[in-house]
Amino acid sequence: MALKVALLGCGVVGSQVIRLMHEQADDLAARVGAPLELAGVAVRRLGRKRDADVDPALLTTDAEALVTRDDVDIVVEVIGGIEPARTLILAAMNSGKSVVTANKALLAEDGATIHAAARANGADLYFEAAVAGAIPLIRPLRESLAGDHVHRVLGIVNGTTNYILDKMDSSGASFSDALEEAQTLGYAEADPTADVEGFDAAAKAAILAGIAFHSRVTAADVHREGITEITATDVASAKAMGYVIKLLAICARSDDGRSFGVRVHPAMIPRTHPLAGVREAYNAVFVEARSAGQLMFYGAGAGGAPTASAVLGDIVAVARNLLAGTRGPEESTYAELAVHPMGETVTRYHVSLDVADKPGVLARVADMFAKQDVSIQTVRQEGHGDDAQLVLVTHRASDAALSATIDGLREMDIVRDVVSVMRVEGEDAP
Amino acid sequence: MALKVALLGCGVVGSQVIRLMHEQADDLAARVGAPLELAGVAVRRLGRKRDADVDPALLTTDAEALVTRDDVDIVVEVIGGIEPARTLILAAMNSGKSVVTANKALLAEDGATIHAAARANGADLYFEAAVAGAIPLIRPLRESLAGDHVHRVLGIVNGTTNYILDKMDSSGASFSDALEEAQTLGYAEADPTADVEGFDAAAKAAILAGIAFHSRVTAADVHREGITEITATDVASAKAMGYVIKLLAICARSDDGRSFGVRVHPAMIPRTHPLAGVREAYNAVFVEARSAGQLMFYGAGAGGAPTASAVLGDIVAVARNLLAGTRGPEESTYAELAVHPMGETVTRYHVSLDVADKPGVLARVADMFAKQDVSIQTVRQEGHGDDAQLVLVTHRASDAALSATIDGLREMDIVRDVVSVMRVEGEDAP
């Protein structure tokens, strides 16, 4: 007997899911142990021209009726956004359907409600496609590493911003020129806010942190900074020092392991770091675990077909579970670790200052760092006269101490401008 | 109620499994939903001094009795080799136990028997640790990519040979000096045959190919060449051309997708290829799938703790399945694709010849390639007089055509010696 799949959304991802379910029908049936059949596709408007070669009789605008239909076994949600996705997923679960979703925003905003509904109804909830597209990451983290202790997850999880930063690095382009190119090529949306301001990466970081640390994390727990203020000068000066600027999502335990931080911000990483070689719109995620050591996962983080690949893998898993009368792993939040405030995050910093060219300037600047217990690793003076610049790289210090230092520097008469402050990551990686 | 684990073997991996089960007992219990308890540890001799802090009362030399004990739920086999591992695993399954194993040799040699016993007894069989240590690879391939169509798996799956080749590349060392260093550092065994002749990598390639192509593959299906004949000159000349030599495991579908080849051999890859940057004893595996595109998995491919991490992840999975009264995915061989002979493998080749320095030599050599339909991409003449060397790189050609070409070249009076023939891989990768 066929298992019936209801699809919510028929856009870039949904149309690929339909195509692959059709083209790979025989393989999917063999792998599941039963054929998969498309029961219906919920869309906003019926008339629209679509990429997908879908029987018009399957289309419906009544998503709520579709997800509660008696003959539907699995609901696949690829609409995105909070509503109506949440209402539809909850309705599906309350009708006993298992759910596959690619919805990072919803899981990061209100995962607790969705997971609770899955548990209450004995329904499966799979969401591999929500983070880093085709790259298997959720399953390795919550299953392969279930016997390990994850210290840190550090990755490039947004293809749009990686494309922009990569272009700025390779061509010297400004942020706005690189963004325009990304938009022309379809890597960035007309309104790029969700990507360039880090919202998309923050949602993924929240999901990854929750799984890695067996705790509940929401998007609101994530410290978030975007890349709109990165200048061509920042990129060039990083390059000159052997670094590249990437937008990183970092989930890291505190040194005592009893809390963790989750943050998304641009950071300088050494060009020798494996993440530095991640070009264009690719994604890559480093995972550091106590026994496994350092692992890296690399691949296409977005796009219709790659995301559909992850969705289909989840559909197969859910379908196998249904046939076996079982469920996949539930949400695991038993550790209930606290998310520490950004001020407690410890990392290194690259600080660039416009300073007056007077004797004793360096000593006074160094003194301001020392006052906050921020130790300086290297300092370089560039130019002179009105163009004098100090470039400092610190040892590890807390974000709070660094912020206090910067506040202090801004008030010094000899400091004309704090030109840039950027975190430095990945120096202890291979 | 606790789930009881019987451990077969207390060596490098087994002792780490014991340590981690003890140190992480609370986390494991929370993740499984019940405590895990060590029921016994089968060893060859009782008296030996061990790394593991294990209660001597748990040690036994009667492995057969241990694996069939009524109170044992899960049997973990980390002895390695064919026997007694096979007999013990079969005995365990016939007594209804689920099995976690790291035994690549057994699965590659006689996986059919082991998988059949698992199926017949409704037992779980998990073996993430059998390939590439801590790197999640089996689970992503058989679950995350279950809705995709894998074209190719290409990877560095043996840390010992990667360490040796990396040393040869970075220091110019000979094979024997690099091997000696690897032995001193514990990366290579006193008898390094299994590693340097490619047996270990071939077993892993067989396992990966079987999963990737949903077909049955054994070690005997794998074309295998080791690295013992790689010279410092080979490495230097690859380096001069912008290549690095790696021992690769390659599982690739034929162009029509209806058969596939599995091979392990040294190959030249461009230094810009992500696998080229895999240093020391690390492993990395590329997977190319129709929808997902290119994925890479990187990490520690061997060692006690990393391998134990993979074993523990599997123990957690099996334990969860037991509590849920279900099983993980079975072996999938429905596609029954044929393994094609090595002669049908299509790739590119780097050929280096000692030739007589006479007019017309290049024309005659080129003619021999043309006769076999092997098209030349580049040719370079080095030295002159008695030292004249021709270095050719071909376009894609079948292994049979290349072999026939080389046989023909060996018979030509103007060819003094075929100095080296090496495959070139990874040029179409990012």
Side-chain angles (χ1 to χ4, degrees):
Chain A
M1 240 194 38
L3 290 167
K4 296 218 172 175
V5 176
L7 182 65
L8 308 181
C10 191
V12 177
V13 177
S15 57
Q16 294 296 315
V17 170
I18 294 172
R19 179 178 67 80
L20 293 168
M21 278 185 67
H22 180 69
E23 282 177 17
Q24 303 181 163
D26 291 348
D27 280 313
L28 293 171
R31 295 175 192 179
V32 167
L36 297 176
E37 204 177 293
L38 199 58
V41 182
V43 294
R44 244 180 308 182
R45 280 181 297 157
L46 288 177
R48 195 184 268 179
K49 188 163 161 34
R50 306 183 188 282
D51 292 340
D53 186 18
V54 53
D55 179 356
L58 291 176
L59 296 178
T60 174
T61 54
D62 191 348
E64 187 115 14
L66 177 62
V67 302
T68 54
R69 248 171 63 181
D70 282 346
D71 62 335
V72 166
D73 301 293
I74 303 170
V75 171
V76 176
E77 185 271 309
V78 287
I79 310 173
I82 308 301
E83 286 297 349
R86 173 169 47 195
T87 302
L88 293 170
I89 288 175
L90 294 176
M93 288 175 165
N94 290 334
S95 307
K97 322 298 186 198
S98 282
V99 171
V100 173
T101 176
N103 196 328
K104 68 217 81 169
L106 175 57
L107 289 171
E109 169 92 13
D110 195 14
T113 302
I114 308 294
H115 283 288
R119 183 175 301 123
N121 292 289
D124 256 341
L125 174 65
Y126 276 71
F127 50 93
E128 184 65 70
V131 181
I135 310 173
L137 204 54
I138 304 298
R139 193 172 271 107
L141 268 179
R142 72 174 182 172
E143 300 185 46
S144 307
L145 290 166
D148 210 324
H149 178 89
V150 176
H151 293 303
R152 194 156 77 125
V153 177
L154 172 125
I156 295 167
V157 295
N158 179 274
T160 305
T161 47
N162 201 58
Y163 185 88
I164 292 170
L165 291 171
D166 184 36
K167 283 299 136 186
M168 291 175 73
D169 182 67
S170 60
S171 74
S174 68
F175 169 75
S176 54
D177 286 350
L179 169 60
E180 207 178 294
E181 191 186 327
Q183 285 171 320
T184 306
L185 294 170
Y187 287 125
E189 314 223 11
D191 175 359
T193 311
D195 293 315
V196 300
E197 295 291 1
F199 289 101
D200 174 83
K204 293 164 178 169
I207 295 170
L208 291 175
I211 296 173
F213 304 134
H214 298 270
S215 298
R216 181 152 292 138
V217 184
T218 73
D221 294 318
V222 184
H223 173 88
R224 179 189 51 74
E225 298 172 29
I227 64 163
T228 56
E229 279 164 36
I230 306 288
T231 64
T233 311
D234 291 335
V235 172
S237 103
K239 199 168 186 168
M241 291 175 64
Y243 290 84
V244 57
I245 298 175
K246 295 287 191 188
L247 182 72
L248 298 181
I250 305 174
C251 320
R253 278 184 205 264
S254 57
D255 291 343
D256 69 7
R258 273 185 269 174
S259 67
F260 62 90
V262 195
R263 50 197 167 108
V264 166
H265 55 68
M268 289 168 52
I269 57 173
R271 276 186 189 267
T272 49
H273 191 283
L275 288 182
V278 177
R279 306 287 311 271
E280 307 214 312
Y282 278 91
N283 282 196
V285 176
F286 249 83
V287 177
E288 294 174 22
R290 189 187 281 158
S291 302
Q294 292 182 322
L295 302 169
M296 188 170 85
F297 304 81
Y298 167 94
T307 307
S309 168
V311 168
L312 277 172
D314 280 354
I315 293 176
V316 169
V318 170
R320 285 173 173 168
N321 290 346
L322 286 174
L323 291 180
T326 180
R327 298 178 55 208
E330 285 184 5
E331 185 190 24
S332 172
T333 58
Y334 74 91
E336 294 181 347
L337 298 183
V339 181
H340 58 237
M342 186 61 188
E344 289 179 26
T345 294
V346 173
T347 188
R348 297 172 57 224
Y349 305 86
H350 174 272
V351 179
S352 173
L353 307 171
D354 262 354
V355 293
D357 187 24
K358 291 187 193 162
V361 164
L362 177 56
R364 288 183 55 201
V365 164
D367 190 52
M368 182 58 75
F369 279 83
K371 242 195 230 167
Q372 301 294 341
D373 251 349
V374 178
S375 158
I376 294 169
Q377 186 190 35
T378 62
V379 58
R380 212 171 69 242
Q381 181 141 13
E382 280 171 2
H384 46 79
D386 283 351
D387 287 333
Q389 250 192 20
L390 277 186
V391 177
L392 304 105
V393 179
T394 74
H395 282 292
R396 278 163 55 86
S398 76
D399 204 81
L402 196 277
S403 294
T405 309
I406 299 298
D407 289 347
L409 289 170
R410 282 191 212 280
E411 280 172 20
M412 292 173 80
D413 55 344
I414 53 160
V415 174
R416 293 196 183 128
D417 189 18
V418 177
V419 181
S420 79
V421 180
M422 182 128 8
R423 297 180 187 89
V424 180
E425 303 285 344
E427 299 243 274
D428 46 352
Chain B
M1 238 190 43
L3 289 167
K4 295 218 172 175
V5 177
L7 182 65
L8 308 181
C10 192
V12 178
V13 178
S15 58
Q16 293 296 315
V17 170
I18 294 172
R19 180 179 64 80
L20 292 169
M21 277 184 67
H22 180 68
E23 283 178 16
Q24 303 179 164
D26 292 347
D27 280 313
L28 293 171
R31 295 174 193 180
V32 166
L36 296 176
E37 203 178 293
L38 199 57
V41 182
V43 295
R44 246 179 308 183
R45 282 179 297 157
L46 287 178
R48 192 182 271 178
K49 188 164 160 35
R50 305 183 187 282
D51 292 339
D53 185 19
V54 54
D55 179 355
L58 290 176
L59 296 178
T60 172
T61 55
D62 191 348
E64 187 113 14
L66 177 62
V67 302
T68 54
R69 250 171 61 181
D70 282 347
D71 63 334
V72 165
D73 301 293
I74 304 170
V75 171
V76 176
E77 185 271 309
V78 288
I79 309 172
I82 308 299
E83 286 295 349
R86 175 170 46 197
T87 302
L88 293 171
I89 288 175
L90 293 176
M93 286 175 168
N94 290 333
S95 305
K97 323 297 187 200
S98 282
V99 171
V100 172
T101 175
N103 195 326
K104 68 217 80 169
L106 175 57
L107 289 171
E109 169 91 12
D110 196 15
T113 303
I114 308 295
H115 283 288
R119 186 175 300 124
N121 292 290
D124 256 340
L125 174 64
Y126 277 72
F127 50 94
E128 184 66 70
V131 181
I135 310 174
L137 205 53
I138 304 299
R139 193 171 270 108
L141 267 180
R142 75 174 181 171
E143 300 184 45
S144 306
L145 289 166
D148 210 324
H149 179 88
V150 175
H151 294 302
R152 195 157 75 126
V153 178
L154 172 126
I156 296 167
V157 295
N158 178 272
T160 306
T161 48
N162 200 58
Y163 185 88
I164 292 170
L165 291 171
D166 184 38
K167 283 300 136 187
M168 292 175 73
D169 181 68
S170 60
S171 74
S174 69
F175 169 76
S176 55
D177 287 350
L179 170 60
E180 208 178 293
E181 190 185 328
Q183 286 171 321
T184 307
L185 294 170
Y187 288 125
E189 315 223 11
D191 174 0
T193 312
D195 293 315
V196 300
E197 295 292 1
F199 289 100
D200 174 82
K204 292 165 177 169
I207 295 170
L208 291 176
I211 296 172
F213 304 135
H214 298 270
S215 298
R216 182 155 290 137
V217 185
T218 72
D221 295 318
V222 184
H223 173 87
R224 179 190 49 76
E225 299 171 30
I227 64 163
T228 56
E229 281 165 33
I230 306 286
T231 64
T233 311
D234 291 335
V235 172
S237 103
K239 200 169 187 169
M241 291 174 64
Y243 290 84
V244 58
I245 298 176
K246 295 288 189 187
L247 182 71
L248 298 182
I250 304 175
C251 320
R253 278 185 205 262
S254 57
D255 290 343
D256 69 7
R258 274 185 266 172
S259 68
F260 62 90
V262 195
R263 49 198 167 106
V264 166
H265 55 68
M268 289 168 50
I269 57 172
R271 275 186 191 267
T272 49
H273 191 285
L275 288 180
V278 177
R279 306 288 310 271
E280 308 214 313
Y282 277 92
N283 281 197
V285 176
F286 248 86
V287 177
E288 294 174 21
R290 189 187 281 159
S291 303
Q294 293 182 321
L295 302 169
M296 190 170 85
F297 303 81
Y298 168 95
T307 307
S309 167
V311 167
L312 277 172
D314 280 354
I315 294 176
V316 170
V318 170
R320 284 172 174 169
N321 289 345
L322 286 174
L323 290 180
T326 181
R327 298 178 54 209
E330 287 185 4
E331 186 191 28
S332 171
T333 59
Y334 74 91
E336 293 181 347
L337 299 183
V339 181
H340 59 238
M342 187 61 186
E344 290 179 24
T345 294
V346 173
T347 188
R348 297 171 57 223
Y349 305 85
H350 174 271
V351 179
S352 172
L353 307 171
D354 261 355
V355 292
D357 187 25
K358 291 187 192 163
V361 163
L362 177 56
R364 288 182 57 199
V365 164
D367 190 50
M368 182 59 75
F369 278 82
K371 241 194 230 168
Q372 299 294 341
D373 252 349
V374 178
S375 160
I376 295 168
Q377 187 190 34
T378 62
V379 58
R380 212 172 69 241
Q381 182 141 13
E382 280 171 2
H384 48 78
D386 283 350
D387 287 332
Q389 250 193 19
L390 277 186
V391 177
L392 304 104
V393 179
T394 75
H395 283 292
R396 276 161 57 88
S398 76
D399 203 82
L402 197 276
S403 294
T405 308
I406 300 297
D407 290 347
L409 290 169
R410 283 193 213 277
E411 281 172 20
M412 292 172 81
D413 56 344
I414 53 161
V415 174
R416 294 197 181 127
D417 189 19
V418 178
V419 182
S420 81
V421 180
M422 182 125 10
R423 296 181 188 88
V424 180
E425 303 286 345
E427 299 243 274
D428 46 352

